[in-house]
Amino acid sequence: MNKPAISFFLPCIRVHLIKGLYESLLKSFSLPFEIVLAGPFEPPQEVKELQNIKWIKTYASPTKSAHLAALLCEAELIAHITDDILFLPDSVDKAYDLFQQSCRQNDIVSLRYIESAYHENKESFPLRYWTVANSCPVPTLKQDWNINVHFLMRKDLFIEFGGFDCCFEYLTQAGGDLMLRLQKNNSIVYHSPIDVSTADWS
């Protein structure tokens, strides 16, 4: 397998959804990639046979599982995702191009998604949705900072800043915490040019 341009990593309990996720990614990203899963349930055989999928068996929390998966990623760029998404056509290509053209070593691309039951909603969330002002309006934080648990960044930056703080059991808090630590250190979090995926929040 060629070295991946992006390693996608995630905690996973809904292993039956990974084949669809994988097939949607083939239509969304034109370069080599890998997917690293971490969770308690063994993926279906047809998924395990794919050369660019790795699986770590763990009973750890979602945050620790994701962190373990990140450490196993081989690409210079890593993207954290969840197991209930389908990628939209060409969307990862556009996010990758933005990263290559605009990001410094310490910058991040927020991989915006649409969330609804059974992927029914097709309408983008307003950009304010992805800000501190919407999700954690703490007066001591900059309200216009962008946060998202789905992101594209350099693996070495993830490692340098300690990755996910595993005292947070779930990733909404751990991802927000990481984005805040990075922006406090002058990283810029760019919005993906378009929505990258739809998530089945059912």
Side-chain angles (χ1 to χ4, degrees):
M1 182 181 84
N2 294 330
K3 183 172 181 179
I6 300 176
S7 293
F8 297 85
F9 70 103
L10 63 153
C12 182
I13 57 171
R14 292 165 287 202
V15 292
H16 63 285
L17 298 178
I18 297 304
K19 186 170 185 286
L21 182 155
Y22 181 90
E23 290 174 348
S24 69
L25 184 50
L26 291 173
K27 299 173 183 176
S28 185
F29 190 48
S30 55
L31 296 175
F33 64 85
E34 70 171 354
I35 299 174
V36 185
L37 313 168
F41 305 125
E42 188 170 351
Q45 189 61 32
E46 61 184 340
V47 170
K48 290 199 312 182
E49 289 174 356
L50 294 166
Q51 290 187 344
N52 57 342
I53 288 194
K54 300 174 187 172
W55 172 58
I56 305 166
K57 184 170 185 177
T58 177
Y59 293 95
S61 71
T63 297
K64 184 176 179 181
S65 297
H67 190 91
L68 291 171
L71 297 178
L72 201 62
C73 291
E74 293 184 22
E76 290 182 1
L77 295 181
I78 60 174
H80 179 254
I81 57 172
T82 50
D83 63 10
D84 61 346
I85 66 167
L86 294 173
F87 289 96
L88 296 168
D90 304 317
S91 62
V92 177
D93 276 334
K94 293 181 187 301
Y96 179 81
D97 288 346
L98 173 64
F99 191 97
Q100 297 297 335
Q101 294 164 12
S102 301
C103 288
R104 304 163 299 166
Q105 294 283 100
N106 62 326
D107 293 338
I108 304 105
V109 173
S110 164
L111 302 176
R112 295 184 294 135
Y113 56 87
I114 302 168
E115 200 169 34
S116 65
Y118 312 111
H119 306 279
E120 290 175 351
N121 182 26
K122 307 302 180 191
E123 186 175 339
S124 299
F125 295 145
L127 293 182
R128 185 182 182 279
Y129 180 85
W130 307 106
T131 64
V132 167
N134 178 61
S135 59
C136 51
V138 178
T140 55
L141 297 175
K142 291 190 177 180
Q143 298 299 291
D144 60 349
W145 277 353
N146 295 324
I147 55 176
N148 186 355
V149 73
H150 294 209
F151 55 77
L152 177 66
M153 67 185 295
R154 294 182 59 87
K155 180 182 176 181
D156 56 8
L157 182 66
F158 182 89
I159 298 296
E160 179 186 351
F161 276 78
F164 292 132
D165 186 336
C166 295
C167 77
F168 297 107
E169 186 164 325
Y170 195 62
L171 282 148
T172 304
Q173 292 80 24
D177 169 71
L178 177 60
M179 293 298 104
L180 293 173
R181 284 187 275 126
L182 287 162
Q183 286 170 102
K184 189 174 181 181
N185 198 59
N186 298 316
S187 294
I188 297 172
V189 179
Y190 292 95
H191 293 296
S192 57
I194 61 173
D195 292 306
V196 170
S197 63
T198 62
D200 176 14
W201 192 78
S202 57

